[in-house]
Amino acid sequence: MSEKVVVALDAMGGDYAPAEAVKGAVEAVTEHPEIKVILVGKQNQIKEELGKYEYFEENIEVVNATEIIEMGEVPTKAIREKKDSSLVVAMKLVREEKADAIVSAGSTGAILVGGQLVVGRIKGIKRPALAPFLPSKKGFSLLIDCGANVDARPEHLVQFAQMGSVYFENVMGKKNPTVGIVNIGTEEEKGNQLVKETYPLLKECKDINFVGSVEAREIAKGGVDILVCEAFVGNVILKFFEGVALTFLGCIKEGLMSSIRTKLGALMIKPAIKGLVKTFDVSSQGGAPLLGLNGLVVKAHGNSKSGEIKTAIFQCIAFKENSINDKISAMVSSK
Amino acid sequence: MSEKVVVALDAMGGDYAPAEAVKGAVEAVTEHPEIKVILVGKQNQIKEELGKYEYFEENIEVVNATEIIEMGEVPTKAIREKKDSSLVVAMKLVREEKADAIVSAGSTGAILVGGQLVVGRIKGIKRPALAPFLPSKKGFSLLIDCGANVDARPEHLVQFAQMGSVYFENVMGKKNPTVGIVNIGTEEEKGNQLVKETYPLLKECKDINFVGSVEAREIAKGGVDILVCEAFVGNVILKFFEGVALTFLGCIKEGLMSSIRTKLGALMIKPAIKGLVKTFDVSSQGGAPLLGLNGLVVKAHGNSKSGEIKTAIFQCIAFKENSINDKISAMVSSK
């Protein structure tokens, strides 16, 4: 592998592919020339898009892939059958160590399945976990797991806490980040069976800075760095948050546009509302990493534009530079 | 039982007890003289508060109870040992059919345990469920279950859907309300084990208008009347919503107060923001009913003022007038 951070980008994934993917790649390598992006997908289309920009040829490579995994496809079937899809080909580059990371704005399900089947798990990791950053008033919390592998066991959640801690510490640069378990009360005896069984294991775990239960009411305030939960709950929190944020902002906009008076007022408060939108923008932290795999897999939001793609690519730098996977691997094998 | 709707009010429960409880009771019977409220708690304190108001004596009765269940107490222990607490005495009035309903702003845990141990379940109901109204852009959805009995089984969720439908139809006056199951995708094969097992049972259930899975992203938009879920997930949704709403509004306020310009703008957009606050006010629908018991148990928010107490008392009218419990009972026994 070269000294550059090599990122395979699924150029055909997402609502605005391949145009925004290609644009994001060019922007990324222009800003950070230590990155090399391998654009994977329909060669002709990608090259046509690339023709619109200037960039150093050593920073961008194109690898052809003739198929595309669409959003509605059954993930396992799609990954097994579409061997020449942009996603599978890009993931193979990581497996073959031709790339350090893969970024895709395509189907979450396919990315999760492909991550396990094509890229493969780190030895000792029982289950990979999708860990997006959830915005809060005080910054960001890593919500782990939001993937599709539901009905986790306590030992999975402990590994989520460990992987999340390594990731957060190295990407956010905060030593000894705090870990909480999402719960319906703060007392130790509260919770469902899974939480009750996991709580003492997290308490005993020496690698992490466990601070106990976090009630859902406290999440938006922020303050706890890593929020551990089982994927069904994590998914509900993430999607519910996106829905509430969109609906709130929609209602504010409608309210502001309802009369001349409020329209005038709206102009005056624009900076305040912009601040709110920025604080609670789910996509501002780029993509969500799928932790626990032999290489970094980053899931970008389906409606990512070039800016989000670029941020997702940048995430891969810290991941490689800090040898996050080696640290995760060391943590697991020391058990 | 008299022809009046008799509501036992735990006058000592909640952050502002007994003052706001007593005030709420007086306001309720003044507005709706067909209600009789039995104020349960420390007689002297209650009578002192009552002395501040004018009301018809036939509408308000005081029943003495010397103990109070505090917020931090272990529910089962508190209910078993504090036989003369305002909550237990008020619940006994329902069990003895001296009251149709009990309203309390006290400890949720104690109310849930007391509901089962003191008031008792309707024959055939496997598990009672706490069902608050969750605000959305289009109105309200009944979120059932948000109680403390986690790790539910599929047959519990089916009963939640049935009880929720009866309640929604009679209280909101909407025929054949829609029922959805909270899920992490809309396809039938999506979900955790519980959801996958429950889905076909809900589909087969003839008493309800099942419309399939509801993704958490769609909840705030509204549109589905009854949202069925297991209590851990329901609790997370409810509390997370409260937290996000508070944090959002707090951020808006801070932003609006940050400069003279935004302060001026804030005055002009006040109606728009007020509308938003009103739309997403969790407490505007009074209390959350605990469905499935022999009598109505309503949990009011701990920080309820007289207005919320009054609304919670009013909820009891529709419950009695529409014989909701008879309908729930008939539905269960017809199986």
Side-chain angles (χ1 to χ4, degrees):
Chain A
M1 213 177 296
S2 77
E3 278 176 50
K4 279 197 161 62
V5 179
V6 183
V7 179
L9 178 62
D10 169 9
M12 312 312 281
D15 304 345
Y16 305 108
E20 293 292 325
V22 171
K23 194 175 172 214
V26 173
E27 287 172 2
V29 300
T30 306
E31 211 169 305
H32 280 281
E34 74 271 31
I35 299 174
K36 178 182 171 182
V37 175
I38 306 178
L39 288 162
V40 184
K42 298 197 173 181
Q43 199 164 254
N44 295 347
Q45 286 183 41
I46 294 172
K47 288 192 170 158
E48 200 187 315
E49 290 297 327
L50 271 177
K52 299 177 183 169
Y53 310 100
E54 281 187 22
Y55 58 92
F56 288 109
E57 292 215 345
E58 62 190 66
N59 285 118
I60 291 192
E61 186 185 331
V62 179
V63 167
N64 192 38
T66 57
E67 295 173 295
I68 296 174
I69 295 178
E70 308 288 349
M71 294 307 282
E73 294 188 56
V74 177
T76 330
K77 195 166 172 279
I79 292 292
R80 291 222 167 98
E81 293 179 2
K82 290 191 166 171
K83 300 271 184 229
D84 202 38
S85 61
S86 53
L87 181 66
V88 172
V89 173
M91 284 186 159
K92 272 189 196 150
L93 293 173
V94 176
R95 189 179 62 195
E96 293 160 1
E97 300 191 11
K98 288 176 186 156
D100 301 297
I102 139 113
V103 171
S104 174
S107 145
T108 308
I111 293 168
L112 295 174
V113 171
Q116 298 204 65
L117 296 185
V118 183
V119 179
R121 288 200 299 268
I122 292 173
K123 207 182 154 204
I125 290 292
K126 296 183 177 81
R127 180 181 279 198
L130 190 67
F133 279 107
L134 193 72
S136 77
K137 210 185 160 186
K138 289 188 189 155
F140 287 88
S141 302
L142 193 76
L143 188 66
I144 184 166
D145 177 24
C146 294
N149 284 318
V150 290
D151 301 313
R153 293 194 306 271
E155 59 268 32
H156 295 142
L157 267 64
V158 173
Q159 287 195 337
F160 297 169
Q162 295 173 315
M163 295 194 292
S165 296
V166 171
Y167 186 77
F168 196 98
E169 178 161 336
N170 287 283
V171 167
M172 301 300 260
K174 183 182 171 187
K175 275 272 159 211
N176 219 13
T178 50
V179 175
I181 186 162
V182 176
N183 205 350
I184 59 172
T186 49
E187 302 87 356
E188 187 162 348
E189 74 278 5
K190 280 274 173 84
N192 55 14
Q193 201 55 36
L194 176 65
V195 171
K196 281 184 198 162
E197 285 174 24
T198 306
Y199 196 105
L201 301 181
L202 290 174
K203 217 172 153 183
E204 281 162 27
C205 184
K206 291 205 178 67
D207 314 313
I208 61 165
N209 180 11
F210 183 56
V211 295
S213 292
V214 176
E215 256 205 291
R217 196 197 307 270
E218 306 302 315
I219 294 176
K221 271 191 218 160
V224 176
D225 300 319
I226 295 118
L227 298 171
V228 173
C229 58
E230 168 280 317
F232 190 91
V233 170
N235 234 294
V236 164
I237 291 176
L238 183 70
K239 303 280 178 62
F240 187 51
F241 181 82
E242 290 181 9
V244 171
L246 272 175
T247 307
F248 266 49
L249 293 172
C251 286
I252 293 181
K253 268 189 199 161
E254 277 176 29
L256 295 183
M257 292 302 124
S258 60
S259 73
I260 294 181
R261 180 194 161 108
T262 54
K263 273 183 199 168
L264 272 174
L267 280 175
M268 303 174 90
I269 61 151
K270 221 173 176 182
I273 299 292
K274 267 201 176 162
L276 182 76
V277 173
K278 211 180 155 194
T279 305
F280 290 101
D281 182 2
V282 178
S283 65
S284 64
Q285 284 296 304
L290 182 56
L291 298 175
L293 300 175
N294 289 316
L296 176 61
V297 176
V298 176
K299 154 75 188 135
H301 211 284
N303 62 10
S304 292
K305 296 261 182 150
S306 64
E308 284 90 43
I309 297 288
K310 185 184 76 175
T311 314
I313 293 171
F314 287 166
Q315 274 182 282
C316 306
I317 306 177
F319 200 86
K320 186 181 182 184
E321 282 180 353
N322 293 291
S323 313
I324 290 182
N325 267 355
D326 294 344
K327 289 174 188 165
I328 288 177
S329 186
M331 191 180 261
V332 178
S333 61
S334 73
K335 297 297 140 203
Chain B
M1 213 178 293
S2 76
E3 277 177 51
K4 279 194 160 64
V5 179
V6 183
V7 179
L9 178 62
D10 169 10
M12 313 311 282
D15 304 345
Y16 305 108
E20 293 293 324
V22 171
K23 194 174 172 217
V26 173
E27 287 172 3
V29 299
T30 306
E31 213 168 303
H32 279 282
E34 73 272 30
I35 299 175
K36 178 182 171 181
V37 175
I38 306 179
L39 288 162
V40 184
K42 298 196 173 182
Q43 199 165 254
N44 294 347
Q45 287 183 41
I46 294 173
K47 286 192 171 159
E48 200 188 314
E49 289 298 327
L50 271 177
K52 298 176 182 169
Y53 310 99
E54 280 188 23
Y55 57 92
F56 288 110
E57 293 215 346
E58 62 189 65
N59 286 118
I60 291 192
E61 186 184 329
V62 179
V63 167
N64 193 38
T66 57
E67 295 174 295
I68 296 173
I69 295 178
E70 308 288 349
M71 294 307 282
E73 294 188 53
V74 177
T76 329
K77 193 165 173 278
I79 292 292
R80 290 221 168 97
E81 294 179 2
K82 289 191 167 171
K83 300 271 183 229
D84 202 38
S85 61
S86 54
L87 181 66
V88 172
V89 172
M91 284 186 158
K92 272 190 196 149
L93 292 173
V94 176
R95 187 179 62 195
E96 293 160 2
E97 299 191 11
K98 288 175 185 156
D100 301 298
I102 139 115
V103 171
S104 175
S107 145
T108 309
I111 293 167
L112 295 174
V113 171
Q116 299 204 65
L117 296 185
V118 183
V119 178
R121 288 200 299 269
I122 292 174
K123 208 182 154 206
I125 290 294
K126 296 183 176 83
R127 180 181 278 198
L130 190 67
F133 279 106
L134 193 73
S136 78
K137 210 185 160 187
K138 288 189 189 153
F140 289 88
S141 301
L142 193 75
L143 187 66
I144 183 166
D145 177 24
C146 294
N149 284 318
V150 290
D151 302 313
R153 294 194 306 272
E155 60 267 33
H156 295 141
L157 267 64
V158 173
Q159 287 196 338
F160 297 168
Q162 295 173 314
M163 294 194 292
S165 296
V166 171
Y167 186 77
F168 196 98
E169 178 160 335
N170 287 283
V171 166
M172 301 300 262
K174 183 182 172 188
K175 275 272 161 212
N176 220 13
T178 50
V179 175
I181 186 162
V182 176
N183 205 350
I184 58 172
T186 48
E187 302 86 355
E188 187 163 348
E189 73 279 5
K190 280 275 174 85
N192 56 14
Q193 201 54 37
L194 176 65
V195 170
K196 281 183 197 162
E197 285 174 25
T198 306
Y199 195 105
L201 301 181
L202 289 173
K203 218 171 153 183
E204 281 162 26
C205 184
K206 292 205 177 67
D207 314 314
I208 60 165
N209 180 11
F210 184 57
V211 295
S213 292
V214 176
E215 256 205 291
R217 198 197 306 270
E218 306 301 316
I219 294 177
K221 271 191 219 162
V224 175
D225 300 319
I226 295 119
L227 298 171
V228 174
C229 58
E230 168 280 315
F232 189 91
V233 170
N235 234 295
V236 164
I237 292 176
L238 182 71
K239 303 280 177 62
F240 187 50
F241 181 82
E242 290 181 9
V244 171
L246 272 175
T247 307
F248 266 47
L249 293 172
C251 286
I252 294 180
K253 269 189 198 161
E254 277 176 29
L256 294 183
M257 292 303 123
S258 60
S259 74
I260 294 181
R261 180 194 161 107
T262 54
K263 274 184 198 168
L264 272 174
L267 280 174
M268 304 175 89
I269 61 151
K270 221 173 177 182
I273 298 293
K274 267 201 177 162
L276 181 76
V277 174
K278 212 179 154 195
T279 305
F280 289 102
D281 182 2
V282 177
S283 65
S284 65
Q285 284 296 303
L290 181 57
L291 298 175
L293 301 175
N294 288 315
L296 176 60
V297 175
V298 176
K299 154 75 188 136
H301 211 285
N303 63 10
S304 292
K305 297 261 182 147
S306 64
E308 284 90 43
I309 297 288
K310 186 183 76 175
T311 314
I313 293 172
F314 288 165
Q315 274 181 283
C316 306
I317 306 176
F319 201 85
K320 185 181 183 184
E321 281 180 353
N322 293 292
S323 313
I324 289 181
N325 267 355
D326 294 344
K327 289 174 189 165
I328 288 177
S329 185
M331 192 179 262
V332 178
S333 61
S334 72
K335 298 296 141 204

